[in-house]
Amino acid sequence: MIKSLTKGRSALMHIPFASFRSRLTAGAALLGCLLAAYSLLPATAAARANSVQNLSKSISYNGKTYAVKYVAVDLTDPYLRVKPVTAEDGIGHVEDFSSMMARNHAVAGVNGAFFDSYEKDDSRRYPNGLLVSSGEPVHSGINSSFLVLPDKTAALATLKTSQDVTVLHSGASPYTFTAWGVNKYYGESVIDQVVWYTRDFGTRVDFPNTTKVVIREHRITEITQAGVTIPEDGYVCMVGNSTNNKTYIVPSLHIGDTINIKPTYTDSDTGVSGPLGAIDAAVGAGPRLLKDGAVDIDFARDGFTDPKITTQANGRSFVGIDASGRMVIGTMSSATIRDMAQVLLKLGLTDAMNLDGGASSALYANGSVLTAPGRLLSNAWIVEKSDTPQIQIAVNGSFVHEFRGYLQHETTMVPLRGILERIGAEFAWNGDTRTLTVAYNSNQLTLHPGDSTMLHNGRGVALPEAPTIVDGHIYLPLRTVTEALGAQIAWDPELYRASLAIP
């Protein structure tokens, strides 16, 4: 069940971003007062020391002893972020597990969703489960899933995702359709398929007998039957050549049309639906093992009939939640699914889900492979750690998944684009003059990377840090720039989140 995104968290606190850390060092008495009020820096320092713990235990059940290797992760540590990753060459390909961990700078990881491991074509070993990263679908699926929510809590749910597409053509009514999935391929014989492809899939879409629609910056730039490159700043929508698609969908698409896609989820356990952005990360596998401190196994509900899952003992992998709310990932010596559930109860987990197992079972923590898989893997569920605290950003209640802010010399630097898009501001980048202009309500801002002076309606305003470009995105000092747009800023020290209210 997907819980409230703010349940159990403290109220937001208004504090000045640029100066609160320097004020902590003013004196011992002041330090004690501020720590009691904000509980920010000491909690962060402690989390860095023990927020990822690799452990092992032998647990006896029903006359057998099981060796369990596991990693407990404090999700509230602002230096950590959980997400699924796929093979370096894209979805459908496979990669060595240790290489996958090193390439993604993981501090912990476990094998993830089931995949077509016996497919002879090693470019078509597709995952069979849901993968969500930063509120966006990496791979669609309908199965039991483990979720990490924006409030840094975890949950189990059975999710179905969909991608609702709206086409805006000048002089015509909006046309809507639903994509079947994201980064999947249903086979050449399935001519009615409509699939959305991102760079997570790879660099190209070359499937025959389909129409490829290239979208960049939400606009259609190409429509062709030939293979196409997936743009880094966009998507490809592949439409099968069925009579229905050729009659309705393809004629409604034109070069220059605006395309908007709305990923959504439905929780089969509760019937609740909402934007996929309500979920920060997810991995789908199953079956579910535990829920609310009790065994909760239903093979029919979770869609499993294979004896390797339903009755046989095998090497196992799992992900779950313990009584303190930590995420726990791990592997176990050969066990049936039912015995594994009982062992995890003894381990102290309250909720848990089975992951791909057998030769896929793999576990990594703090620089070491604790369980080595017997095959290359298509995907994994990892914990990455940054050098500085990652600052969450929410704008008028909308969580900015795709970017995180960071601290630079006591100043909070944030990605401006994610904020501007959510308030509908106009902005433009001139690469020749390296000038960013922003227009919102009666405010006009002009900024230059490397220049610590901003023009606000023609008046120079000093910035605590100059704008900087990171991975192609401009980061700006949060308070000075957003307050110039009329923002009020609230700070949540538990979530390390800046919430902006911009009228």
Side-chain angles (χ1 to χ4, degrees), residues 449-474:
D451 187 344
S452 58
T453 298
M454 170 183 72
L455 291 181
H456 180 202
N457 293 337
R459 180 177 61 88
V461 177
L463 299 172
E465 292 287 336
T468 186
I469 297 178
V470 179
D471 295 331
H473 300 285
I474 298 177

Side-chain angles (χ1 to χ4, degrees), residues 32-53:
C33 293
L34 288 174
L35 295 186
Y38 301 143
S39 303
L40 181 58
L41 290 180
T44 301
R48 286 179 62 89
N50 58 18
S51 56
V52 178
Q53 296 179 296

Side-chain angles (χ1 to χ4, degrees), residues 133-252:
S133 180
S134 298
E136 296 289 338
V138 174
H139 185 269
S140 52
I142 306 173
N143 45 14
S144 293
S145 300
F146 183 88
L147 319 176
V148 175
L149 305 178
D151 70 347
K152 300 185 179 181
T153 61
L156 293 179
T158 302
L159 295 187
K160 176 182 179 181
T161 60
S162 65
Q163 293 72 43
D164 301 322
V165 183
T166 301
V167 183
L168 302 177
H169 180 69
S170 178
S173 299
Y175 176 74
T176 61
F177 63 94
T178 299
W180 286 25
V182 174
N183 293 326
K184 295 175 68 74
Y185 182 56
Y186 296 88
E188 190 172 348
S189 63
V190 185
I191 61 174
D192 211 31
Q193 63 185 302
V194 180
V195 184
W196 210 259
Y197 292 97
T198 72
R199 268 300 178 104
D200 291 309
F201 186 77
T203 59
R204 291 189 59 80
V205 177
D206 290 301
F207 300 120
N209 302 317
T210 59
T211 298
K212 290 85 173 177
V213 183
V214 180
I215 299 104
R216 299 187 63 183
E217 297 288 338
H218 302 290
R219 290 192 179 275
I220 296 176
T221 60
E222 184 180 1
I223 301 174
T224 179
Q225 290 273 318
V228 296
T229 297
I230 303 172
E232 293 186 5
D233 58 350
Y235 319 89
V236 170
C237 182
M238 187 187 75
V239 183
N241 283 346
S242 68
T243 300
N244 182 72
N245 288 348
K246 289 191 291 186
T247 301
Y248 297 103
I249 295 181
V250 175
S252 300

Side-chain angles (χ1 to χ4, degrees), residues 268-293:
S268 299
D269 296 329
T270 63
V272 172
S273 298
L276 196 60
I279 300 165
D280 194 39
V283 58
R288 184 185 299 167
L289 304 171
L290 306 175
K291 184 177 181 181
D292 298 330

